[in-house]
Amino acid sequence: MKTQIEQIKVKNFRLYRDLHITDLQRLNVFLGANGSGKTTFFKVFNFLSTCLKDNVTVAVNREGGFKELITRNSDPEKNFIEFEIKFRNFEQGEKSPLVTYHLKIGFNHGKVFIDKEVLKYRRGQRGKPWHFLDYSKGIGSAIKNEQDYDPKSKEIREDQPLGAEDILALKGLGQFERYKTIKSFRTLLEQWLVSNLQNEEMRKIGDVGADQQLSMSGNNLAQVASFIHEYHPDIFQTILTKMKQRVPGIDKVDIAINEAGQILLKFGDNSFTAPFISKYTSDGTIKMFAYLVLLHDPTPRPLLCIEEPENYLYPTLLRELAAELREYAVRGGQVFVSTHSPDFVDALQIEELFLVKKEQNQGCSHIFSAKKYDDGQISELYDNGCELGWLWQHDYFKGINP
């Protein structure tokens, strides 16, 4: 499914009192100082995913409760946490309509509830929006005749009450084929991944299994590599070829199973007579292999978020990593990345870069397109040949550095 998020609005979610991001691309990179809000922004996706897989109460409690989650100095009984995501599903064609999902979460007498959940898109330029689902506190309805969608047709609705006030209508209705637009967005929420690969986790010896996609921490790297090796040998060969090009000395990667039935990754170094297992590889080697496995997923995730991919990688590899991310994004999965690396930023097109800025006097953060930042001065310098990482290092991104 090739879905592209084009706009995101967030209200009263931690650092983001009133956030509105537009002009999102296939690859989007977020640059900002420590504590500016990059990780908090990525938490939006984890939060919404938990809302879907469990319920809103569970998602809120995992973040410390509603009073901790809502923006500071906001009255939790009078203010709402809100999310709005505008996206297109290009399975419907290049002229697919812009779909809007709006979720509004409230808190009253110690309980969390969904004040509003709407999924809609407009019919034509002036047509009235079709609300594919429209719910409040567990009560609402969904469109029954989506297949008849036309600027002139009349929507037919059916009531579908939910079991509780904190359950997403997406969770229930998205299981049915007849609600195609609802199911499309549910799939997006279910399958997106916020990746934060941890070297110690990736070195673990995994039990034999058929994991097909890498987890958040990468602790199933051996299982996923084994799956690709067995069922997609051409892709595995591509990964191996790129490992040979980027990691000096690595000439093969073997998959082995020990006597206990556990999967081992063995990296062959042409300087040694015997291969060594992943436990003893360098941080950079295991990280590069994991990124190649992640970015050559036979079934790309609709949205992939990666936190600080530059860690442990040699600076000259970062341009190649940016190219890999861009290729992945074009192939099918939209990509969001946070970074602190000027070398990685140098490899970007200006449309792909977004600046995260914390307003010190307000304690809230905003995100700006680099192309439109500082009245277009950054864009003019970029057009005249200045690389974005160089501009950042020389403090042209005013207010971004601490």
Side-chain angles (χ1 to χ4, degrees):
M1 179 181 68
K2 193 169 183 178
T3 302
Q4 178 160 329
I5 297 172
E6 296 191 1
Q7 297 183 37
I8 297 175
K9 291 182 179 179
V10 180
K11 288 188 176 181
N12 297 323
F13 183 83
R14 294 198 182 276
L15 288 171
Y16 294 107
R17 185 177 297 280
D18 191 4
L19 174 68
H20 186 194
I21 310 173
T22 61
D23 302 317
L24 289 166
Q25 308 295 307
R26 297 302 300 168
L27 172 62
N28 308 275
V29 178
F30 298 87
L31 171 67
N34 289 330
S36 61
K38 301 186 300 301
T39 298
T40 299
F41 176 61
F42 279 16
K43 278 188 176 182
V44 167
F45 304 107
N46 272 336
F47 178 80
L48 291 175
S49 183
T50 305
C51 286
L52 176 68
K53 294 174 182 177
D54 295 295
N55 57 49
V56 175
T57 299
V58 170
V60 168
N61 288 341
R62 285 184 184 175
E63 295 295 326
F66 196 86
K67 294 178 181 179
E68 288 297 319
L69 193 61
I70 197 167
T71 303
R72 297 294 183 190
N73 300 320
S74 299
D75 186 336
E77 299 277 349
K78 297 180 180 179
N79 291 278
F80 297 89
I81 296 173
E82 298 185 57
F83 307 95
E84 185 175 280
I85 297 176
K86 295 181 181 289
F87 68 100
R88 298 184 197 272
N89 179 5
F90 289 104
E91 284 184 344
Q92 300 177 19
E94 290 301 316
K95 294 184 179 180
S96 61
L98 189 65
V99 182
T100 299
Y101 178 73
H102 184 203
L103 179 64
K104 187 176 180 182
I105 301 170
F107 180 78
N108 192 25
H109 298 301
K111 291 186 177 181
V112 178
F113 64 92
I114 297 172
D115 184 73
K116 189 174 186 180
E117 183 186 10
V118 173
L119 185 69
K120 64 181 181 180
Y121 62 71
R122 187 176 299 279
R123 297 178 288 177
Q125 293 295 320
R126 299 180 180 178
K128 183 180 178 181
W130 272 37
H131 286 61
F132 290 94
L133 64 79
D134 195 334
Y135 276 77
S136 177
K137 299 180 180 178
I139 305 296
S141 61
I143 279 184
K144 188 177 180 180
N145 62 326
E146 181 176 346
Q147 69 279 3
D148 299 328
Y149 176 82
D150 181 87
K152 297 180 181 179
S153 61
K154 184 177 180 180
E155 61 185 32
I156 301 174
R157 310 193 65 81
E158 60 180 347
D159 294 334
Q160 292 282 358
L162 304 174
E165 296 183 0
D166 62 348
I167 297 176
L168 294 187
L170 277 176
K171 182 173 183 176
L173 300 180
Q175 300 178 61
F176 298 102
E177 287 292 337
R178 68 178 182 270
Y179 302 123
K180 294 187 181 301
T181 301
I182 297 171
K183 184 177 180 180
S184 172
F185 190 67
R186 175 193 162 113
T187 301
L188 176 64
L189 260 65
E190 279 184 323
Q191 295 184 2
W192 65 28
L193 174 71
V194 179
S195 174
N196 188 4
L197 299 178
Q198 303 294 318
N199 284 353
E200 291 309 310
E201 291 292 308
M202 292 187 290
R203 288 194 173 94
K204 289 181 176 179
I205 299 174
D207 294 331
V208 173
D211 287 11
Q212 298 181 26
Q213 292 184 303
L214 214 56
S215 67
M216 179 179 180
S217 68
N219 63 350
N220 61 345
L221 177 60
Q223 290 96 323
V224 177
S226 178
F227 169 79
I228 295 175
H229 179 267
E230 183 173 355
Y231 294 100
H232 300 276
D234 53 334
I235 294 178
F236 193 82
Q237 186 57 48
T238 298
I239 293 172
L240 179 56
T241 299
K242 291 183 177 181
M243 280 294 289
K244 291 178 181 178
Q245 294 170 349
R246 295 173 186 175
V247 183
I250 295 296
D251 62 347
K252 64 179 179 179
V253 180
D254 289 331
I255 310 293
I257 299 177
N258 65 15
E259 293 180 356
Q262 297 172 310
I263 296 176
L264 304 177
L265 286 176
K266 291 187 176 183
F267 292 84
D269 189 320
N270 55 26
S271 301
F272 297 91
T273 57
F276 45 96
I277 63 175
S278 57
K279 181 178 180 180
Y280 303 109
T281 59
S282 71
D283 289 333
T285 297
I286 197 74
K287 198 72 174 284
M288 176 53 72
F289 181 71
Y291 277 129
L292 289 173
V293 169
L294 178 66
L295 298 176
H296 287 80
D297 189 337
T299 309
R301 293 180 181 272
L303 176 63
L304 175 63
C305 301
I306 301 178
E307 294 198 67
E308 300 177 14
E310 64 270 14
N311 292 341
Y312 302 109
L313 294 184
Y314 196 68
T316 57
L317 291 176
L318 296 178
R319 284 184 181 272
E320 295 180 15
L321 180 59
E324 290 280 1
L325 290 164
R326 194 175 290 117
E327 181 182 322
Y328 178 94
V330 170
R331 193 166 71 247
Q334 192 174 13
V335 179
F336 288 6
V337 180
S338 68
T339 187
H340 288 136
S341 168
D343 297 287
F344 184 77
V345 173
D346 273 340
L348 302 177
Q349 300 166 11
I350 192 168
E351 294 84 2
E352 298 169 337
L353 182 62
F354 293 81
L355 307 176
V356 185
K357 181 179 180 181
K358 187 174 183 179
E359 306 291 350
Q360 297 300 329
N361 59 331
Q362 302 174 9
C364 296
S365 295
H366 299 278
I367 298 177
F368 307 90
S369 167
K371 189 172 183 178
K372 299 177 180 178
Y373 195 70
D374 199 15
D375 295 325
Q377 182 188 10
I378 301 300
S379 184
E380 183 178 348
L381 291 166
Y382 173 81
D383 290 340
N384 281 290
C386 294
E387 291 188 317
L388 295 169
W390 184 91
L391 289 171
W392 172 37
Q393 285 183 303
H394 289 79
D395 205 27
Y396 281 91
F397 298 164
K398 301 297 183 184
I400 300 302
N401 291 331

Tab-separated table of all heavy atoms in Angstrom, residues 66-107:
chain	number	residue	atom	x	y	z
A	66	PHE	N	-2.918	11.172	31.624
A	66	PHE	CA	-3.351	12.327	30.833
A	66	PHE	C	-2.716	13.627	31.308
A	66	PHE	O	-2.320	14.466	30.496
A	66	PHE	CB	-4.877	12.438	30.900
A	66	PHE	CG	-5.470	13.334	29.843
A	66	PHE	CD1	-5.778	12.848	28.587
A	66	PHE	CD2	-5.723	14.676	30.108
A	66	PHE	CE1	-6.325	13.667	27.602
A	66	PHE	CE2	-6.265	15.512	29.148
A	66	PHE	CZ	-6.566	15.004	27.891
A	67	LYS	N	-2.583	13.786	32.613
A	67	LYS	CA	-2.031	15.034	33.141
A	67	LYS	C	-0.564	15.208	32.779
A	67	LYS	O	-0.068	16.338	32.690
A	67	LYS	CB	-2.220	15.083	34.664
A	67	LYS	CG	-3.683	15.157	35.082
A	67	LYS	CD	-3.842	15.168	36.594
A	67	LYS	CE	-5.306	15.221	36.991
A	67	LYS	NZ	-5.493	15.215	38.473
A	68	GLU	N	0.150	14.098	32.587
A	68	GLU	CA	1.546	14.164	32.158
A	68	GLU	C	1.661	14.327	30.650
A	68	GLU	O	2.624	14.896	30.153
A	68	GLU	CB	2.294	12.895	32.590
A	68	GLU	CG	2.552	12.799	34.073
A	68	GLU	CD	3.459	13.920	34.559
A	68	GLU	OE1	4.430	14.246	33.857
A	68	GLU	OE2	3.200	14.463	35.653
A	69	LEU	N	0.686	13.817	29.933
A	69	LEU	CA	0.745	13.822	28.469
A	69	LEU	C	0.348	15.170	27.872
A	69	LEU	O	0.924	15.605	26.870
A	69	LEU	CB	-0.176	12.727	27.927
A	69	LEU	CG	-0.053	12.355	26.451
A	69	LEU	CD1	1.341	11.846	26.138
A	69	LEU	CD2	-1.092	11.313	26.084
A	70	ILE	N	-0.628	15.826	28.483
A	70	ILE	CA	-1.107	17.092	27.942
A	70	ILE	C	-0.068	18.190	28.164
A	70	ILE	O	0.704	18.153	29.133
A	70	ILE	CB	-2.469	17.474	28.574
A	70	ILE	CG1	-3.173	18.547	27.741
A	70	ILE	CG2	-2.300	17.927	30.020
A	70	ILE	CD1	-4.639	18.740	28.124
A	71	THR	N	-0.014	19.143	27.255
A	71	THR	CA	0.963	20.230	27.320
A	71	THR	C	0.906	20.946	28.667
A	71	THR	O	-0.172	21.154	29.232
A	71	THR	CB	0.694	21.246	26.185
A	71	THR	OG1	0.737	20.550	24.939
A	71	THR	CG2	1.733	22.343	26.174
A	72	ARG	N	2.089	21.309	29.176
A	72	ARG	CA	2.185	21.981	30.472
A	72	ARG	C	1.308	23.224	30.527
A	72	ARG	O	1.120	23.927	29.533
A	72	ARG	CB	3.634	22.384	30.751
A	72	ARG	CG	4.591	21.203	30.868
A	72	ARG	CD	4.286	20.339	32.069
A	72	ARG	NE	5.233	19.245	32.228
A	72	ARG	CZ	5.060	18.249	33.088
A	72	ARG	NH1	3.999	18.212	33.856
A	72	ARG	NH2	5.970	17.280	33.171
A	73	ASN	N	0.777	23.494	31.716
A	73	ASN	CA	-0.066	24.652	31.975
A	73	ASN	C	-1.411	24.584	31.246
A	73	ASN	O	-2.053	25.611	31.009
A	73	ASN	CB	0.657	25.960	31.614
A	73	ASN	CG	1.929	26.145	32.411
A	73	ASN	OD1	1.976	25.847	33.605
A	73	ASN	ND2	2.975	26.620	31.749
A	74	SER	N	-1.818	23.374	30.857
A	74	SER	CA	-3.138	23.176	30.267
A	74	SER	C	-4.030	22.470	31.284
A	74	SER	O	-3.605	21.505	31.926
A	74	SER	CB	-3.045	22.321	29.001
A	74	SER	OG	-2.241	22.949	28.026
A	75	ASP	N	-5.231	22.932	31.433
A	75	ASP	CA	-6.185	22.315	32.355
A	75	ASP	C	-6.678	21.008	31.724
A	75	ASP	O	-7.367	21.033	30.692
A	75	ASP	CB	-7.369	23.251	32.599
A	75	ASP	CG	-8.322	22.726	33.673
A	75	ASP	OD1	-8.343	21.509	33.906
A	75	ASP	OD2	-9.051	23.552	34.258
A	76	PRO	N	-6.359	19.848	32.295
A	76	PRO	CA	-6.739	18.572	31.673
A	76	PRO	C	-8.247	18.354	31.590
A	76	PRO	O	-8.713	17.569	30.766
A	76	PRO	CB	-6.068	17.525	32.568
A	76	PRO	CG	-5.855	18.205	33.877
A	76	PRO	CD	-5.601	19.642	33.544
A	77	GLU	N	-9.015	19.028	32.442
A	77	GLU	CA	-10.466	18.857	32.422
A	77	GLU	C	-11.134	19.743	31.367
A	77	GLU	O	-12.289	19.515	31.003
A	77	GLU	CB	-11.052	19.186	33.802
A	77	GLU	CG	-10.547	18.297	34.933
A	77	GLU	CD	-11.303	16.972	35.012
A	77	GLU	OE1	-12.338	16.837	34.329
A	77	GLU	OE2	-10.857	16.077	35.754
A	78	LYS	N	-10.402	20.738	30.854
A	78	LYS	CA	-10.997	21.684	29.909
A	78	LYS	C	-10.361	21.643	28.525
A	78	LYS	O	-10.903	22.202	27.572
A	78	LYS	CB	-10.905	23.107	30.462
A	78	LYS	CG	-11.685	23.326	31.746
A	78	LYS	CD	-11.547	24.761	32.223
A	78	LYS	CE	-12.334	24.995	33.516
A	78	LYS	NZ	-12.191	26.397	34.010
A	79	ASN	N	-9.212	21.010	28.405
A	79	ASN	CA	-8.506	20.980	27.126
A	79	ASN	C	-8.439	19.549	26.590
A	79	ASN	O	-8.534	18.581	27.346
A	79	ASN	CB	-7.090	21.537	27.291
A	79	ASN	CG	-7.092	23.029	27.583
A	79	ASN	OD1	-7.195	23.848	26.682
A	79	ASN	ND2	-7.003	23.385	28.853
A	80	PHE	N	-8.243	19.449	25.305
A	80	PHE	CA	-8.209	18.158	24.628
A	80	PHE	C	-6.861	17.954	23.946
A	80	PHE	O	-6.211	18.917	23.523
A	80	PHE	CB	-9.319	18.079	23.569
A	80	PHE	CG	-10.711	18.169	24.125
A	80	PHE	CD1	-11.325	19.404	24.289
A	80	PHE	CD2	-11.404	17.024	24.483
A	80	PHE	CE1	-12.612	19.493	24.795
A	80	PHE	CE2	-12.687	17.102	24.993
A	80	PHE	CZ	-13.295	18.339	25.153
A	81	ILE	N	-6.451	16.701	23.838
A	81	ILE	CA	-5.311	16.333	22.998
A	81	ILE	C	-5.877	15.955	21.633
A	81	ILE	O	-6.791	15.133	21.539
A	81	ILE	CB	-4.536	15.153	23.606
A	81	ILE	CG1	-3.928	15.555	24.957
A	81	ILE	CG2	-3.442	14.680	22.661
A	81	ILE	CD1	-3.291	14.410	25.713
A	82	GLU	N	-5.326	16.565	20.577
A	82	GLU	CA	-5.889	16.356	19.236
A	82	GLU	C	-4.811	15.998	18.224
A	82	GLU	O	-3.682	16.495	18.291
A	82	GLU	CB	-6.624	17.603	18.762
A	82	GLU	CG	-7.816	17.985	19.624
A	82	GLU	CD	-8.598	19.159	19.050
A	82	GLU	OE1	-9.060	19.068	17.904
A	82	GLU	OE2	-8.724	20.186	19.767
A	83	PHE	N	-5.196	15.142	17.282
A	83	PHE	CA	-4.335	14.771	16.168
A	83	PHE	C	-5.153	14.853	14.880
A	83	PHE	O	-6.317	14.437	14.849
A	83	PHE	CB	-3.812	13.337	16.323
A	83	PHE	CG	-3.145	13.065	17.635
A	83	PHE	CD1	-3.856	12.508	18.690
A	83	PHE	CD2	-1.806	13.363	17.835
A	83	PHE	CE1	-3.252	12.248	19.912
A	83	PHE	CE2	-1.190	13.120	19.056
A	83	PHE	CZ	-1.919	12.560	20.087
A	84	GLU	N	-4.521	15.382	13.854
A	84	GLU	CA	-5.159	15.388	12.533
A	84	GLU	C	-4.118	15.008	11.493
A	84	GLU	O	-3.050	15.628	11.414
A	84	GLU	CB	-5.755	16.757	12.204
A	84	GLU	CG	-6.530	16.767	10.898
A	84	GLU	CD	-7.215	18.104	10.631
A	84	GLU	OE1	-8.295	18.337	11.226
A	84	GLU	OE2	-6.663	18.911	9.847
A	85	ILE	N	-4.409	13.982	10.727
A	85	ILE	CA	-3.485	13.495	9.700
A	85	ILE	C	-4.193	13.523	8.362
A	85	ILE	O	-5.291	12.967	8.212
A	85	ILE	CB	-3.014	12.060	10.017
A	85	ILE	CG1	-2.233	12.051	11.331
A	85	ILE	CG2	-2.159	11.496	8.887
A	85	ILE	CD1	-1.805	10.678	11.786
A	86	LYS	N	-3.581	14.196	7.398
A	86	LYS	CA	-4.103	14.251	6.031
A	86	LYS	C	-3.202	13.391	5.147
A	86	LYS	O	-1.986	13.587	5.129
A	86	LYS	CB	-4.159	15.690	5.510
A	86	LYS	CG	-5.154	16.587	6.259
A	86	LYS	CD	-5.177	17.992	5.679
A	86	LYS	CE	-6.146	18.898	6.451
A	86	LYS	NZ	-7.553	18.553	6.211
A	87	PHE	N	-3.802	12.465	4.407
A	87	PHE	CA	-3.004	11.528	3.620
A	87	PHE	C	-3.734	11.157	2.333
A	87	PHE	O	-4.937	11.383	2.176
A	87	PHE	CB	-2.713	10.260	4.432
A	87	PHE	CG	-3.934	9.409	4.706
A	87	PHE	CD1	-4.200	8.284	3.942
A	87	PHE	CD2	-4.813	9.730	5.728
A	87	PHE	CE1	-5.323	7.501	4.186
A	87	PHE	CE2	-5.926	8.955	5.985
A	87	PHE	CZ	-6.193	7.827	5.206
A	88	ARG	N	-2.970	10.589	1.412
A	88	ARG	CA	-3.536	10.044	0.171
A	88	ARG	C	-3.153	8.579	0.066
A	88	ARG	O	-2.038	8.194	0.408
A	88	ARG	CB	-3.010	10.799	-1.055
A	88	ARG	CG	-3.380	12.270	-1.090
A	88	ARG	CD	-2.896	12.934	-2.382
A	88	ARG	NE	-2.898	14.375	-2.252
A	88	ARG	CZ	-3.954	15.154	-2.521
A	88	ARG	NH1	-5.068	14.598	-2.965
A	88	ARG	NH2	-3.881	16.467	-2.374
A	89	ASN	N	-4.071	7.790	-0.443
A	89	ASN	CA	-3.806	6.378	-0.717
A	89	ASN	C	-3.725	6.224	-2.233
A	89	ASN	O	-4.741	6.218	-2.927
A	89	ASN	CB	-4.921	5.506	-0.142
A	89	ASN	CG	-4.702	4.033	-0.421
A	89	ASN	OD1	-3.669	3.646	-0.967
A	89	ASN	ND2	-5.671	3.215	-0.060
A	90	PHE	N	-2.490	6.097	-2.751
A	90	PHE	CA	-2.299	6.104	-4.189
A	90	PHE	C	-2.695	4.792	-4.852
A	90	PHE	O	-2.576	4.654	-6.068
A	90	PHE	CB	-0.855	6.472	-4.522
A	90	PHE	CG	-0.554	7.920	-4.243
A	90	PHE	CD1	0.181	8.296	-3.130
A	90	PHE	CD2	-1.054	8.910	-5.064
A	90	PHE	CE1	0.436	9.633	-2.863
A	90	PHE	CE2	-0.806	10.249	-4.810
A	90	PHE	CZ	-0.060	10.612	-3.706
A	91	GLU	N	-3.194	3.824	-4.073
A	91	GLU	CA	-3.791	2.643	-4.687
A	91	GLU	C	-5.053	3.032	-5.447
A	91	GLU	O	-5.501	2.315	-6.342
A	91	GLU	CB	-4.132	1.600	-3.620
A	91	GLU	CG	-2.918	0.855	-3.102
A	91	GLU	CD	-3.300	-0.240	-2.121
A	91	GLU	OE1	-4.439	-0.217	-1.629
A	91	GLU	OE2	-2.455	-1.105	-1.849
A	92	GLN	N	-5.616	4.186	-5.096
A	92	GLN	CA	-6.818	4.672	-5.770
A	92	GLN	C	-6.474	5.504	-7.007
A	92	GLN	O	-7.354	6.086	-7.633
A	92	GLN	CB	-7.648	5.527	-4.803
A	92	GLN	CG	-8.091	4.769	-3.562
A	92	GLN	CD	-8.848	5.651	-2.586
A	92	GLN	OE1	-9.352	6.715	-2.941
A	92	GLN	NE2	-8.953	5.205	-1.344
A	93	GLY	N	-5.176	5.581	-7.361
A	93	GLY	CA	-4.760	6.363	-8.518
A	93	GLY	C	-4.040	7.622	-8.113
A	93	GLY	O	-4.106	8.068	-6.967
A	94	GLU	N	-3.330	8.230	-9.069
A	94	GLU	CA	-2.543	9.427	-8.776
A	94	GLU	C	-3.405	10.623	-8.374
A	94	GLU	O	-2.930	11.564	-7.779
A	94	GLU	CB	-1.684	9.792	-10.002
A	94	GLU	CG	-0.558	8.802	-10.256
A	94	GLU	CD	0.394	8.681	-9.082
A	94	GLU	OE1	0.771	9.716	-8.506
A	94	GLU	OE2	0.743	7.547	-8.712
A	95	LYS	N	-4.694	10.592	-8.725
A	95	LYS	CA	-5.591	11.686	-8.373
A	95	LYS	C	-6.438	11.319	-7.153
A	95	LYS	O	-7.544	11.825	-6.981
A	95	LYS	CB	-6.498	12.039	-9.561
A	95	LYS	CG	-5.732	12.620	-10.753
A	95	LYS	CD	-6.679	13.049	-11.858
A	95	LYS	CE	-5.903	13.653	-13.018
A	95	LYS	NZ	-6.810	14.086	-14.122
A	96	SER	N	-5.918	10.459	-6.312
A	96	SER	CA	-6.662	10.043	-5.123
A	96	SER	C	-6.929	11.248	-4.222
A	96	SER	O	-6.094	12.152	-4.104
A	96	SER	CB	-5.874	8.988	-4.347
A	96	SER	OG	-4.627	9.505	-3.922
A	97	PRO	N	-8.093	11.304	-3.588
A	97	PRO	CA	-8.445	12.463	-2.766
A	97	PRO	C	-7.613	12.532	-1.487
A	97	PRO	O	-7.063	11.538	-1.025
A	97	PRO	CB	-9.926	12.220	-2.454
A	97	PRO	CG	-10.092	10.750	-2.551
A	97	PRO	CD	-9.157	10.294	-3.621
A	98	LEU	N	-7.542	13.720	-0.925
A	98	LEU	CA	-6.866	13.930	0.351
A	98	LEU	C	-7.821	13.538	1.468
A	98	LEU	O	-8.889	14.130	1.635
A	98	LEU	CB	-6.448	15.399	0.488
A	98	LEU	CG	-5.548	15.746	1.671
A	98	LEU	CD1	-4.193	15.054	1.524
A	98	LEU	CD2	-5.355	17.260	1.773
A	99	VAL	N	-7.437	12.508	2.232
A	99	VAL	CA	-8.273	11.982	3.310
A	99	VAL	C	-7.816	12.596	4.633
A	99	VAL	O	-6.614	12.750	4.872
A	99	VAL	CB	-8.172	10.443	3.374
A	99	VAL	CG1	-9.096	9.887	4.463
A	99	VAL	CG2	-8.503	9.820	2.023
A	100	THR	N	-8.763	12.945	5.497
A	100	THR	CA	-8.449	13.542	6.795
A	100	THR	C	-8.920	12.637	7.920
A	100	THR	O	-10.082	12.206	7.944
A	100	THR	CB	-9.125	14.920	6.940
A	100	THR	OG1	-8.653	15.801	5.924
A	100	THR	CG2	-8.821	15.529	8.307
A	101	TYR	N	-8.014	12.337	8.849
A	101	TYR	CA	-8.373	11.608	10.066
A	101	TYR	C	-8.163	12.551	11.245
A	101	TYR	O	-7.091	13.129	11.409
A	101	TYR	CB	-7.514	10.356	10.246
A	101	TYR	CG	-7.827	9.599	11.523
A	101	TYR	CD1	-9.003	8.865	11.632
A	101	TYR	CD2	-6.956	9.619	12.617
A	101	TYR	CE1	-9.313	8.168	12.807
A	101	TYR	CE2	-7.252	8.922	13.782
A	101	TYR	CZ	-8.435	8.202	13.873
A	101	TYR	OH	-8.738	7.525	15.029
A	102	HIS	N	-9.191	12.707	12.070
A	102	HIS	CA	-9.138	13.627	13.219
A	102	HIS	C	-9.527	12.863	14.477
A	102	HIS	O	-10.569	12.215	14.526
A	102	HIS	CB	-10.102	14.793	12.989
A	102	HIS	CG	-10.050	15.830	14.074
A	102	HIS	ND1	-11.083	16.700	14.336
A	102	HIS	CD2	-9.078	16.142	14.980
A	102	HIS	CE1	-10.766	17.490	15.354
A	102	HIS	NE2	-9.550	17.166	15.750
A	103	LEU	N	-8.664	12.936	15.484
A	103	LEU	CA	-8.904	12.276	16.765
A	103	LEU	C	-8.761	13.305	17.878
A	103	LEU	O	-7.749	14.002	17.972
A	103	LEU	CB	-7.912	11.128	16.972
A	103	LEU	CG	-8.022	10.357	18.299
A	103	LEU	CD1	-9.361	9.639	18.393
A	103	LEU	CD2	-6.862	9.368	18.441
A	104	LYS	N	-9.779	13.391	18.741
A	104	LYS	CA	-9.809	14.355	19.843
A	104	LYS	C	-10.063	13.589	21.138
A	104	LYS	O	-11.085	12.916	21.286
A	104	LYS	CB	-10.921	15.378	19.586
A	104	LYS	CG	-10.975	16.540	20.557
A	104	LYS	CD	-12.073	17.509	20.108
A	104	LYS	CE	-12.202	18.710	21.040
A	104	LYS	NZ	-13.312	19.608	20.599
A	105	ILE	N	-9.112	13.691	22.070
A	105	ILE	CA	-9.144	12.899	23.296
A	105	ILE	C	-9.335	13.810	24.505
A	105	ILE	O	-8.625	14.809	24.656
A	105	ILE	CB	-7.844	12.087	23.452
A	105	ILE	CG1	-7.652	11.157	22.253
A	105	ILE	CG2	-7.854	11.282	24.745
A	105	ILE	CD1	-6.287	10.512	22.202
A	106	GLY	N	-10.278	13.437	25.366
A	106	GLY	CA	-10.555	14.239	26.552
A	106	GLY	C	-10.370	13.450	27.838
A	106	GLY	O	-10.123	12.242	27.828
A	107	PHE	N	-10.524	14.164	28.958
A	107	PHE	CA	-10.313	13.568	30.289
A	107	PHE	C	-11.317	14.190	31.247
A	107	PHE	O	-11.425	15.421	31.339
A	107	PHE	CB	-8.879	13.845	30.735
A	107	PHE	CG	-8.527	13.279	32.081
A	107	PHE	CD1	-8.233	11.932	32.223
A	107	PHE	CD2	-8.476	14.095	33.209
A	107	PHE	CE1	-7.886	11.402	33.466
A	107	PHE	CE2	-8.136	13.588	34.451
A	107	PHE	CZ	-7.843	12.231	34.577
